[in-house]
Amino acid sequence: MTSPPGDGDRDASTTGPRPLVCARCGAGAEEPPPVTWTCSVENGVRHYFCEACARENLRAIEGRLDSEWW
């Protein structure tokens, strides 16, 4: 998967891992996100969800997928 031009999520001027925060509960991790975390792009902005929040809200996450994913 490729990112659209001007994707501000990857800034080349940043050195070292950046802290990530779960968009739901505020749990923290360093970049790259753990493989158990979920990434959601909403209105062009990436939101990361920790494993616990992703599991608790899986149906809501799936419900936002475009029908072409089904």
Side-chain angles (χ1 to χ4, degrees):
M1 189 164 125
T2 60
S3 298
D7 184 11
D9 195 45
R10 300 280 182 210
D11 185 5
S13 65
T14 305
T15 58
R18 296 184 307 170
L20 295 174
V21 177
C22 174
R24 185 160 175 88
C25 73
E30 287 192 356
E31 206 171 78
V35 295
T36 56
W37 281 41
T38 300
C39 178
S40 172
V41 179
E42 301 170 17
N43 298 321
V45 178
R46 290 184 188 197
H47 298 279
Y48 291 93
F49 299 94
C50 68
E51 179 180 7
C53 289
R55 285 179 183 268
E56 290 174 9
N57 298 287
L58 185 61
R59 296 282 183 218
I61 293 168
E62 289 175 341
R64 289 191 303 251
L65 290 174
D66 291 335
S67 58
E68 63 192 36
W69 287 93
W70 297 102

